[in-house]
Amino acid sequence: MSLLELKHIYKIYGELHALDDVSMKVEKGEWVSIMGPSGSGKSTMMNIIGCMDKPSKGEVLLDGVDISKESSKNLTTVRRDKIGLIFQQFHLVNYLTAVENVMLAQYYHSIPDEKEAMEALERVGLADRARHLPSQLSGGEQQRVCVARALINYPEIILADEPTGNLDEANEEIVVDLFHKLHDEGTTLIVVTHDPEVAEVAQKTIVLRNGRVVKEVVNQNFTGKIHFSEEGTHVTKTDLKSEEEIKAEESK
Amino acid sequence: MKKRQMYFRMIIASLMRRRSRMLVALLSIAIGATVLSGLVTIYYDVPRQMGAQFRNYGANMIFTPAEDKLTLEEIQQGAAVLNGKDVVGIAPYRYENVRIHERPVVIAGTDMTGAQATSPYWHVEGSWPSADGQIMIGAGIAESFRLKMGDLLEVSYTPEEAGEDAETVVDRITEFEITGILDTGGSEEDYVYVSLADLEALTEKPDSIDVAELSISATSEELAAYAEQISNAVPAVNARLVKRVTASETTVLTKLQALVLLVTIVVLALTMICVATTMTAVVTERRKEIGLRKAIGASDASIIKEFLGESMMLGGLGGILGSILGFIFAQQVSIHVFSSSISFMPALVPITILVSVLVTGLSSLMPIRSATEVDPALVLKGE
Ligand SMILES: Nc1ncnc2c1ncn2[C@@H]1O[C@H](COP(=O)(O)OP(=O)(O)OP(=O)(O)O)[C@@H](O)[C@H]1O
Ligand SMILES: [Mg+2]
């Protein structure tokens, strides 16, 4: 059984199909990149997986349970227990210190543990910045605090929507390195990115366009340790639709 | 670390590190609490204040003779029944008919110090008579006889024994110096006033007092009890309350307290509106943070708990500030309006804090409810 499975997901805003019959599987421990032009539905998909939004149609199976029709209260519980979120704009509580921001995730999940939170900050290399407020941290440091916060409760999936979008190359590298470490430890990662360099370090890249999956590529150069059976579901699918077909459809 | 510790750590961090924002909210709560605790202090202090105030409106008890006239001694016997320190002043009055410039005028003999105490609102131009041979005249007399201060005035008295045999009787004439002109707006302006001693000298007849006015510091009930005691103890004296003043004291008090109550309710409502508005602004300003908290797993209940905690903490701080400032406020009002200081009511401090916490919490409920409606997916998207 896959950890996450989307079955014919639609998200419809009036006339607009933000997601249009999207199906996909993510295995436990897998690292998946999602690419696509602006407006292709990447964030919409992440919000649905992250239990912050519900699809208009279709099923979302997380650990075999369909969460697409859950009440928002139950979704909060699922999100809290199973998902770690990282955003492009960092999003830290601006009046709490780095370590308090990490403890916040513990607070809602179970019980805050300052020692454990400090260890998480150590892992992202920010032990000496633990008592700083977000405004006293650089963008890269803030994003590393967000990574520490996302991993503190050992979530089943870490969802990152453009985590390096606001970072320079040096910081991008630090964050990608952190993803490598998490992946090595068996964490499932789904990372939305515009940056091919960030995308290609993943095991699999899914390309969206106009709310449809147009490409699913297995990264041949993937160097990380792989935690699931080699054969598994990882077959390179050729383009579901050719670029020409898509263009023809768009012009209609 | 316990969950509760983290909860307070967050709330205190929010209040301390977002200080400038929170000061505005705190200020409105503190002002509300100040006015409320101040008004309540005045509300409870007003009866005391008003008692003293009404004494300024003159005598609240009079002694009238049971038979024809009173003597000074009988008045003193009556006054002896009273608790000495409650007596503000005693003014005996003796009225006689005299003639000035051949026209009849009523002359009053009194104890000037006592009259000053029992009629504090009398306005005297010049000064009260302080020695023999001095006279104070009413403004009405001054006008009709065209008299002014410093003038010498001849007062003639016809002894009663005159009767039919008028020719054999000689009028007694005394010359007085006018030291003051009395302006009261009432009938007192048509009399002239001399000391009892002078009047006795003029009439050659002692101790025939018509009435004594007393100003006593006591409540209406105490006064009534006093009046009965005196009438019983000194048969020559008929002690009565001056109804007009004691009755109006009660009505004015009730009206004043109703007014204070009304203002209190209005201020309470205004404070609630102010707090609700501020909290709405705070919630709007922190939509991103609320969305983020929800995204990382906060339930609606915990969002409510956190914001309510913050506003109640502010309410508590505002209440503490309010009870201190409220006392100062009430003290100032009391000094400027009633010219006396008030006593500090310790019980009012916890009450003010409690009310402040409850009012702040209550008026924050609506804005905080709107916080739970924040959609994390929407607020966390983009800039
Ligand atoms: N709440 C909404 N109401 C209406 N339309 C929406 C809403 N949210 C998203 N959309 C539309 O859905 C489409 C997909 O949006 P989405 O945010 O998923 O794009 P994206 O792939 O994340 O783009 P970007 O790379 O710019 O972040 C867009 O055309 C957007 O305008
Ligand atoms: Mg997006």
Side-chain angles (χ1 to χ4, degrees), chain B residues 41-326:
Chain B
T41 308
I42 293 169
Y43 182 89
Y44 281 109
D45 226 51
V46 153
R48 214 172 56 78
Q49 303 284 7
M50 289 306 290
Q53 276 294 303
F54 272 107
R55 223 121 301 120
N56 290 343
Y57 290 104
N60 48 10
M61 185 185 284
I62 52 170
F63 288 176
T64 49
E67 270 150 37
D68 190 29
K69 298 277 178 183
L70 283 170
T71 65
L72 272 179
E73 205 191 322
E74 285 161 348
I75 293 171
Q76 245 127 48
Q77 282 169 359
V81 174
L82 300 166
N83 185 348
K85 66 180 192 302
D86 287 342
V87 180
V88 179
I90 303 175
Y93 284 100
R94 169 180 178 186
Y95 300 103
E96 296 293 348
N97 292 309
V98 292
R99 269 171 294 136
I100 295 173
H101 297 181
E102 295 307 314
R103 278 158 63 188
V105 166
V106 176
I107 190 167
T110 186
D111 168 33
M112 293 301 167
T113 324
Q116 235 169 318
T118 54
S119 305
Y121 57 92
W122 280 11
H123 178 253
V124 176
E125 191 192 329
S127 58
W128 290 71
S130 54
D132 286 351
Q134 295 185 336
I135 192 167
M136 175 168 77
I137 61 173
I141 302 284
E143 200 180 339
S144 55
F145 290 90
R146 298 178 202 286
L147 293 168
K148 56 184 194 308
M149 237 135 57
D151 284 355
L152 293 177
L153 186 63
E154 268 187 6
V155 174
S156 49
Y157 173 78
T158 312
E160 268 162 39
E161 310 86 69
E164 325 260 283
D165 228 1
E167 281 158 46
T168 61
V169 176
V170 187
D171 279 1
R172 276 192 276 278
I173 299 175
T174 313
E175 202 174 53
F176 290 98
E177 186 201 349
I178 302 175
T179 59
I181 295 173
L182 176 65
D183 188 357
T184 66
S187 57
E188 299 91 344
E189 288 183 2
D190 297 323
Y191 302 161
V192 297
Y193 299 83
V194 294
S195 69
L196 276 175
D198 276 345
L199 192 56
E200 273 172 21
L202 182 67
T203 58
E204 288 182 339
K205 203 167 69 178
D207 265 349
S208 66
I209 311 274
D210 292 288
V211 64
E213 293 184 353
L214 292 89
S215 181
I216 302 157
S217 169
T219 64
S220 318
E221 292 87 55
E222 287 167 346
L223 281 176
Y226 274 147
E228 213 180 306
Q229 270 174 275
I230 292 166
S231 300
N232 291 340
V234 190
V237 169
N238 241 334
R240 286 190 288 115
L241 302 188
V242 179
K243 270 282 164 1
R244 185 172 45 85
V245 171
T246 43
S248 69
E249 181 169 355
T250 327
T251 16
V252 171
L253 254 185
T254 326
K255 280 181 183 166
L256 225 106
Q257 289 192 327
L259 183 73
V260 169
L261 202 69
L262 193 75
V263 174
T264 306
I265 291 168
V266 170
V267 169
L268 204 66
L270 281 179
T271 309
M272 288 184 81
I273 292 170
C274 200
V275 171
T277 316
T278 314
M279 280 314 283
T280 308
V282 166
V283 166
T284 313
E285 191 180 78
R286 293 169 72 183
R287 283 174 71 81
K288 268 227 167 91
E289 181 200 326
I290 297 163
L292 173 68
R293 284 176 184 272
K294 285 182 134 187
I296 59 176
S299 62
D300 287 356
S302 37
I303 299 277
I304 291 176
K305 207 170 101 186
E306 284 151 28
F307 275 82
L308 206 58
E310 274 188 29
S311 71
M312 284 168 81
M313 188 86 94
L314 273 182
L317 286 175
I320 293 171
L321 272 178
S323 26
I324 299 166
L325 295 176

Side-chain angles (χ1 to χ4, degrees), chain A residues 43 47 52-53 76 79-80 85 87 89-97 99-101 103-114 131 133 149 166, chain B residues 1-4 6-7 9-10 13-14 17-18 286 288-289 291-299 302-303 305-306 310 375-377 379-383:
Chain A
S43 297
N47 286 341
M52 300 210 287
D53 204 354
T76 302
R79 181 166 66 234
R80 188 183 67 203
L85 293 166
F87 310 91
Q89 290 86 13
F90 319 141
H91 292 313
L92 293 166
V93 176
N94 58 15
Y95 55 83
L96 295 182
T97 60
V99 68
E100 285 167 345
N101 264 286
M103 287 162 72
L104 193 62
Q106 295 177 311
Y107 172 75
Y108 291 125
H109 180 267
S110 43
I111 37 166
D113 181 340
E114 191 156 4
R131 307 279 167 212
L133 291 172
R149 182 181 62 196
N166 284 346
Chain B
M1 180 187 272
K2 296 233 181 66
K3 256 189 117 120
R4 195 185 317 138
M6 179 70 189
Y7 173 72
R9 191 164 160 181
M10 283 191 313
S14 172
R17 302 201 184 120
R18 300 170 58 251
R286 293 169 72 183
K288 268 227 167 91
E289 181 200 326
L292 173 68
R293 284 176 184 272
K294 285 182 134 187
I296 59 176
S299 62
S302 37
I303 299 277
K305 207 170 101 186
E306 284 151 28
E310 274 188 29
D375 179 355
V379 295
L380 295 181
K381 190 164 69 179
E383 292 304 295

Side-chain angles (χ1 to χ4, degrees), chain A residues 13 16 18 36-45 88 161-162 192 194, chain B residues 378 381:
Chain A
Y13 295 112
L16 179 88
S38 184
S40 56
K42 305 181 298 292
S43 297
T44 307
M45 189 164 106
Q88 180 175 356
D161 193 345
E162 305 249 18
V192 169
H194 272 304
Chain B
L378 276 182
K381 190 164 69 179

